[in-house]
Amino acid sequence: MVNAEVDAATRALSHLEDSGLVWHSLGGLRAVTGVAAVLRGSPGASGLQPFAGDPGADQEEVVRRLAAVSGEARAMLEAVDAAGGQASSSRARPRVSVAEASGPAEELIAHGLLVSSGDGMLTLPGEVGLTLRGGRTTRDRVDVPPSLPTSARASALVDRAAAGAAFELVRNLELLLDAWGATPPRSLRGGTGLTVRDLKTTAERLHVTEPTAALLIEVSWSSGLLGLGTDEEGDPSWMPTELFDQWLQQPLAARWAHVATAWLASPRLPGLVGQRDPAGKTWNALAPDMAGASAVEMRRLTLELLAGVPEGEVLAAGTGPAAVVARLAWERPRRPRSRTESRESLVAWTLTEAETLGLAAFGGLAAYGRGLVAGEDPVPILAGLLPEPVDHVLLQGDLTAVAPGPLEPALARTLAVVATVESHGGATVYRFTKESVRRAMDRGWTATEIHAFLTAASRTPVPQALTYLVDDTARTFGTVRVGFAAAYLRSDDEAALAELLAHPAAESLGLRRLAPTVVVSTVALDSLLPRLRELGLAPVVEAPDGSVHVARPDAKRAKARNAQRPAGAQEAHLTVRATAVAARVKAGDETASSRPSPPEPASTMAILHEAIDAGEQVVISYVDGRGVAGEARVEPLSLDGGSLTARVDDDERSFALSRIRSVRPA
């Protein structure tokens, strides 16, 4: 019955018996209980459906019934068999006699050649399928695997091309993680992925496509080089891990092997980025649920199939993943079973990602790629294929630098700070601009340090135009300075301000002198005023226009009990009340206009997070439940549910974040 050679069928039966899936009964080999249920719905499952006629009906009865149907019904039956043994027809009645049958579907139902389940599904009985296929379970041979079309390609060419892609992968990962270490992109909703804008920005920075950028980001995460941390404002952001610094110290081939091994064992599906999920939402890079149960197995099966191609041959150009899909469908007909992880998608993604990562090129695995798939160390082979890094560049008069080969990692990362990559290739071109030089100065470089770096890194003299560019940028850099201040103090008495700055109790006010008559403070105005009064000063609030506002306290009166009110007392009382209310409104408006904005919650959260991580103490300014402002020196322990848990002296206390007005290091 099986469309295969006897020897192949015998070996298959022996394998099933050894696996415990079939057993010898008095009537012959039988499948164990549950196998039929597991196989239901798979290709060829119609053979498990009992014949719709008498249980003892044989093939001659099926032939007789087939001869009794029309040619149109026979053609429909052949189509159902070719489609896997099932079809749908909402118009066909599930029970109908031969005389009442209308149309080919009802004709086949009436003759028992199709079985209706009552919900519009028609199933081909097993005996009918066997008869249509000439007594075989399948039309095609099942013991002959589909062939893989190949073409000749020198192994050395495949190895060199793949090694170039491997070098490019490591370089792009360095640039990506260095950039994210300086300015980490924020995560979506507390760690649920990367924004589309940040993905696009990363692709533009690395000069790659967005799918390639998504792959680089995903393998960084899978290999442990990228993690979720907290930025300066306390928000969850994506940034390099401590492993990244250790990774940078390894040889280039070892760095590639670390990343490629992690990708091979990762269930992540970078190919989904940008597509729609079943709910219609776009998949974002680093989304936590963007993984597949069949990803690792299908990825390894695909690469093992490529590893089985003889050396000197690769997949024929133009065949695409179709031939690989057909071969894997023959080897693993029931995997995968998820729509998201279709076999076609997984194979196509694997072939594309393998070439991007440097395991393969031109449709064939590199020699070190074969070793990686086989569980061997690929580093020795790859190290011999990578070009020797160079330790210099050639500066040009048009404000560019040409790298005559792959630069040493440290030089490449340093050069990327002060210049921008303009083009890739055998010789990478870097361009110096005013923005790139200012970017280096933003990171703490001085003009002298930039000149010294250019002189040491170049084998050619530094062009005069580049020297002028650095000096002109340095001349305007830092002419405007920006800092943080919550309040300011101004006085025409310079001696009074000098005395305040020298006062021992004023150290916690965060005072700094900007001019002889102006001092700024990092303490909010509402907290600063009572502290200054405690030091013996009599400060007043200055409005933005420079005018001074002094709020007078409302006149308080006690209500006379059981006393006769004089004439006109009611009207006078109402007048006093109205005047007091107006005075309060005016005072409130002026105070609100002169009061500086409270510190951003994000800044407060960032300082508290940093203190928790470092185990350091901070000074918080807060308002208690009675509305009284105060300060406390605390050791933050945790942030949870809108409250800060901190240790004060030897006790633990909770502070509502909404009542904390400012935080500063102790």
Side-chain angles (χ1 to χ4, degrees):
M1 295 177 63
V2 177
N3 194 355
E5 295 291 340
V6 175
D7 292 343
T10 302
R11 288 194 300 270
L13 287 174
S14 299
H15 177 69
L16 292 175
E17 188 176 357
D18 294 340
S19 303
L21 296 177
V22 298
W23 60 285
H24 284 277
S25 68
L26 296 177
L29 287 174
R30 296 177 60 87
V32 299
T33 304
V35 171
V38 173
L39 293 177
R40 190 167 292 117
S42 65
S46 60
L48 301 174
Q49 182 67 235
F51 183 54
D54 297 332
D58 53 13
Q59 190 174 357
E60 294 181 359
E61 176 64 17
V62 176
V63 172
R64 185 185 66 77
R65 297 187 186 188
L66 286 174
V69 300
S70 62
E72 187 179 6
R74 177 64 180 260
M76 178 180 178
L77 201 61
E78 296 278 357
V80 172
D81 180 49
Q86 286 187 328
S88 61
S89 177
S90 58
R91 297 182 180 180
R93 291 171 289 180
R95 289 183 177 83
V96 63
S97 64
V98 176
E100 298 173 344
S102 174
E106 292 188 356
E107 182 180 357
L108 294 173
I109 293 173
H111 283 88
L113 298 175
L114 283 180
V115 177
S116 176
S117 59
D119 57 356
M121 292 301 299
L122 302 177
T123 304
L124 184 71
E127 291 83 347
V128 178
L130 288 173
T131 302
L132 291 175
R133 294 186 291 270
R136 300 288 188 178
T137 54
T138 58
R139 295 182 181 275
D140 300 324
R141 291 275 298 272
V142 296
D143 59 335
V144 179
S147 61
L148 284 177
T150 61
S151 59
R153 178 80 67 171
S155 299
L157 181 61
V158 173
D159 292 345
R160 288 196 300 269
F167 175 84
E168 190 75 6
L169 167 73
V170 175
R171 190 187 65 85
N172 281 333
L173 289 178
E174 291 176 359
L175 295 176
L176 166 68
L177 295 172
D178 273 334
W180 283 17
T183 55
R186 292 184 178 179
S187 171
L188 286 171
R189 296 183 300 277
T192 57
L194 184 73
T195 65
V196 176
R197 181 180 61 183
D198 287 328
L199 175 63
K200 186 174 183 179
T201 301
T202 300
E204 293 174 352
R205 179 186 292 119
L206 299 179
H207 300 280
V208 298
T209 62
E210 290 187 26
T212 300
L215 175 62
L216 294 173
I217 294 169
E218 285 288 337
V219 296
S220 299
W221 167 262
S222 300
S223 57
L225 304 178
L226 179 68
L228 191 63
T230 304
D231 64 8
E232 296 177 352
E233 298 182 358
D235 295 316
S237 304
W238 302 104
M239 58 187 66
T241 63
E242 295 178 352
L243 180 62
F244 173 62
D245 298 315
Q246 303 174 17
W247 180 76
L248 289 175
Q249 305 305 318
Q250 299 177 1
L252 195 148
R255 277 180 277 166
W256 177 88
H258 174 84
V259 174
T261 303
W263 169 78
L264 191 60
S266 172
R268 304 285 297 173
L269 300 173
L272 285 177
V273 176
Q275 300 187 20
R276 298 283 180 177
D277 63 9
K281 297 181 180 180
T282 303
W283 287 104
N284 293 90
L286 299 174
D289 53 348
M290 197 177 64
S294 304
V296 176
E297 181 185 26
M298 292 303 297
R299 186 178 295 143
R300 182 167 287 278
L301 286 173
T302 301
L303 295 180
E304 288 176 350
L305 198 61
L306 290 183
V309 175
E311 292 191 15
E313 295 184 9
V314 296
L315 291 179
T319 59
V324 179
V325 170
R327 179 63 172 268
L328 293 181
W330 181 83
E331 293 184 357
R332 298 291 192 278
R334 296 179 54 76
R335 298 195 187 102
R337 305 178 70 174
S338 170
R339 293 183 179 179
T340 304
E341 311 167 46
S342 68
R343 183 186 290 111
E344 291 77 9
S345 298
L346 291 176
V347 170
W349 293 338
T350 299
L351 294 176
T352 302
E353 293 170 9
E355 296 201 357
T356 303
L357 296 176
L359 279 86
F362 305 117
L365 276 184
Y368 58 88
R370 294 173 184 265
L372 180 67
V373 175
E376 302 171 357
D377 185 10
V379 173
I381 300 178
L382 176 59
L385 295 170
L386 293 173
E388 289 294 331
V390 297
D391 60 353
H392 64 276
V393 295
L394 305 177
L395 294 177
Q396 308 292 316
D398 59 349
L399 299 179
T400 61
V402 178
L407 294 177
E408 291 183 346
L411 176 59
R413 292 196 302 274
T414 305
L415 187 61
V417 175
V418 72
T420 302
V421 177
E422 187 173 75
S423 65
H424 297 288
T428 304
V429 178
Y430 295 84
R431 177 165 294 279
F432 297 91
T433 63
K434 186 176 182 179
E435 290 75 16
S436 67
V437 175
R438 186 173 63 244
R439 181 176 65 229
M441 292 183 176
D442 286 336
R443 296 193 179 186
W445 288 38
T446 63
T448 303
E449 291 173 335
I450 295 177
H451 287 312
F453 166 73
L454 295 176
T455 302
S458 177
R459 290 287 179 87
T460 58
V462 179
Q464 190 178 48
L466 182 54
T467 301
Y468 287 165
L469 173 66
V470 175
D471 292 339
D472 290 343
T473 305
R475 189 176 300 111
T476 59
F477 181 79
T479 54
V480 177
R481 299 191 178 186
V482 179
F484 173 79
Y488 72 88
L489 296 81
R490 188 173 66 83
S491 175
D492 294 333
D493 189 352
E494 299 180 15
L497 291 181
E499 182 181 355
L500 175 62
L501 289 170
H503 199 295
E507 293 181 359
S508 61
L509 298 180
L511 300 178
R512 185 163 63 94
R513 197 165 196 163
L514 297 183
T517 59
V518 179
V519 173
V520 294
S521 172
T522 57
V523 178
L525 182 63
D526 290 348
S527 300
L528 182 63
L529 286 175
R531 295 286 302 279
L532 293 176
R533 293 188 179 109
E534 292 174 1
L535 296 177
L537 301 180
V540 294
V541 178
E542 187 176 63
D545 59 357
S547 62
V548 176
H549 169 72
V550 179
R552 297 178 179 176
D554 297 332
K556 297 179 176 60
R557 298 292 186 270
K559 183 178 181 180
R561 301 179 61 184
N562 302 324
Q564 183 68 30
R565 291 191 177 187
Q570 180 68 19
E571 290 75 8
H573 177 70
L574 293 177
T575 301
V576 173
R577 290 285 305 276
T579 303
V581 170
R584 287 196 185 106
V585 172
K586 183 178 180 181
D589 291 343
E590 293 179 355
T591 301
S593 63
S594 62
R595 180 181 300 160
S597 301
E600 291 292 332
S603 301
T604 300
M605 296 284 288
I607 298 175
L608 291 175
H609 276 294
E610 185 176 353
I612 292 172
D613 294 338
E616 298 176 347
Q617 293 184 340
V618 296
V619 177
I620 63 172
S621 174
Y622 66 99
V623 179
D624 63 15
R626 296 173 297 174
V628 179
E631 281 192 352
R633 185 186 183 99
V634 302
E635 180 183 349
L637 300 177
S638 64
L639 288 171
D640 185 30
S643 65
L644 166 68
T645 301
R647 182 180 291 109
V648 183
D649 296 331
D650 294 331
D651 299 329
E652 287 189 9
R653 290 181 54 186
S654 294
F655 299 87
L657 293 178
S658 59
R659 293 184 178 274
I660 297 177
R661 306 186 64 87
S662 64
V663 182
R664 69 177 187 275

